Amino acid sequence: MEVSILDLKKQYHDLKDEIDSEISKVLESGYFILGKEEKKFEAKIKDYLDTDNDCIGVASGSDALLLSLMAIDISPGDEVITTPFTFFATAGAISRLGAKPVFVDIGDDYNIDVDKISEKINENTKAIITVDLFGNPSDLKRLRKICDDNDLYLIDDACQAIGSEIDGKKIGNFAHFTCFSFFPTKNLGAYGDGGLVVVEGDEMSEKIRMLRKHGSKKKYHHEFVGINSRLDEMQAAILNVKLDYLDEWIDKRQKNAKIYSDNLKEIINVPKIDDNKKHVFHQYTISVDDRDGLKEYLSDNGIQTAVYYPVPLHLQNCFDNDVSLSNSEYASSHVLSLPIHENLNINEIHYVIDKIKEFYD
Ligand SMILES: *Cc1c(COP(=O)(O)O)cnc(C)c1O
């Protein structure tokens, strides 16, 4: 049996009529940047997130992070605390502005260990970027309190976590800035790049709306130096269709995850979820001995898996490698993500479970 880690073609074919018709409407309109589809998406996602914060479409999740840091004037000499166990973009955005990423180790849910943050705060610290890794929210309430107590900004890299919740409230309502990505493989994916920043407060929201248009409010008049970063009409139209299905897909991912965990928890480390959190399972990630052996065994049996992430950021050549963060290093050599997408069927899930059991028998 072949079990793939993604099935974007099937998802497209299920929605083909709706998507094709919306794309052709955009083409016929002759209007491609910051038009009515993008406006509609911003309103629709604001409603979905049930937030008073402003929702601003941008070109990617990476830009959402960069724009958030630009809005709070991060510059050389500044420090931003973050996790090393994430996709590169989280820390890359900090470095691009000449500031220093200060890495704090992760806890057993793979997110930043909140207890280890305070010792890293000094007079140069300006912000914390936390990541809701694999779709599981960080401890955003505790993080927000640390930020409020120390006059820091909280940026939530929620690029993998759209739809996730804490105490029944959606991510997007806890941080000063929440960043989402619509990269095609994300739970809500466009057919190209796309992103969103959810921004608290009128001042910052106006600033980001200007920053994404080269710092201008009035055309050809520039208040500061920004970048070009918009969610285009074609991607917005696609997302307007797909957003209606997101909760259904998350539901399916959660059901798949439960089957895995119920069947595997005795033999391997399954994802840990706090009772007050809704994990949307962008990835279903286990931690195992002989990870590379298991990966190869599953691959030989037709099962695709992936390692997120094989090298923690504090050990990347482009950063100072002056710290040792044991939990992140351990995770990098033990984690494995299994197929979890909404189009998996029950036979495929049980096939994966059987092969894992067989390997550890
Ligand atoms: C996908 C992702 C990003 C970047 O998103 P892009 O839209 O690809 O730029 C940033 N952070 C995390 C944690 C991600 O998973």
Side-chain angles (χ1 to χ4, degrees), residues 59-65 85-90 131-134 157-160 179-186 193-195 282 309:
S60 68
S62 300
D63 275 6
L65 290 161
F85 196 58
T86 175
F87 178 59
F88 184 78
T90 315
V131 179
D132 307 318
L133 201 70
F134 304 141
D157 179 342
C159 286
Q160 302 184 0
C179 303
F180 293 107
S181 165
F182 306 121
F183 185 77
T185 61
K186 302 285 156 99
D193 278 310
H282 174 56
Y309 294 90

Side-chain angles (χ1 to χ4, degrees), residues 52-58 63-74 126-127 144 151-155 175-178 197-213 215-217 224:
D52 293 331
N53 295 336
D54 193 14
C55 297
I56 306 173
V58 297
D63 275 6
L65 290 161
L66 184 68
L67 287 161
S68 301
L69 293 169
M70 288 174 79
I72 57 171
D73 298 317
I74 293 298
K126 295 287 151 54
R144 182 63 189 250
D151 202 16
L152 305 175
Y153 284 101
L154 180 60
I155 299 171
H176 296 93
F177 302 89
T178 306
V197 207
V198 179
V199 188
E200 195 180 284
D202 293 344
E203 189 193 338
M204 286 299 161
S205 109
E206 188 181 30
K207 202 160 170 192
I208 295 226
R209 286 192 178 275
M210 289 164 75
L211 280 168
R212 73 172 174 171
K213 294 192 291 181
S216 80
K217 193 148 92 179
F224 33 77

Side-chain angles (χ1 to χ4, degrees), residues 206-348:
E206 188 181 30
K207 202 160 170 192
I208 295 226
R209 286 192 178 275
M210 289 164 75
L211 280 168
R212 73 172 174 171
K213 294 192 291 181
H214 287 300
S216 80
K217 193 148 92 179
K218 191 171 153 203
K219 218 172 184 182
Y220 306 124
H221 296 257
H222 301 267
E223 310 306 319
F224 33 77
V225 178
I227 59 175
N228 169 13
S229 184
R230 283 82 61 115
L231 177 67
D232 69 67
E233 287 292 284
M234 206 93 80
Q235 302 307 334
I238 291 158
L239 293 168
N240 279 328
V241 173
K242 285 202 187 186
L243 182 53
D244 292 338
Y245 297 89
L246 178 60
D247 281 342
E248 214 174 284
W249 295 335
I250 290 172
D251 231 51
K252 193 73 202 308
R253 283 171 182 266
Q254 288 183 311
K255 290 200 172 108
N256 294 346
K258 184 164 184 322
I259 301 172
Y260 277 137
S261 291
D262 286 349
N263 285 278
L264 292 170
K265 62 176 184 251
E266 308 298 338
I267 54 168
I268 54 169
N269 290 307
V270 300
K272 178 184 169 290
I273 319 163
D274 294 332
D275 290 341
N276 67 330
K277 289 178 182 170
K278 176 175 177 179
H279 187 324
V280 294
F281 289 102
H282 174 56
Q283 300 295 343
Y284 181 90
T285 303
I286 57 176
S287 171
V288 291
D289 289 331
D290 192 12
R291 187 264 318 272
D292 294 340
L294 175 64
K295 187 172 190 344
E296 195 181 317
Y297 184 74
L298 294 177
S299 167
D300 289 345
N301 283 283
I303 299 166
Q304 268 185 358
T305 59
V307 174
Y308 305 111
Y309 294 90
V311 183
L313 300 186
H314 66 288
L315 299 182
Q316 297 288 347
N317 291 337
C318 61
F319 293 128
D320 288 343
N321 308 128
D322 57 354
V323 285
S324 140
L325 300 166
S326 57
N327 293 346
S328 303
E329 287 158 33
Y330 183 90
S332 290
S333 56
H334 290 78
V335 290
L336 189 66
S337 298
L338 307 178
I340 189 72
H341 63 84
E342 74 275 3
N343 284 315
L344 279 184
N345 66 47
I346 190 77
N347 297 333
E348 292 172 318

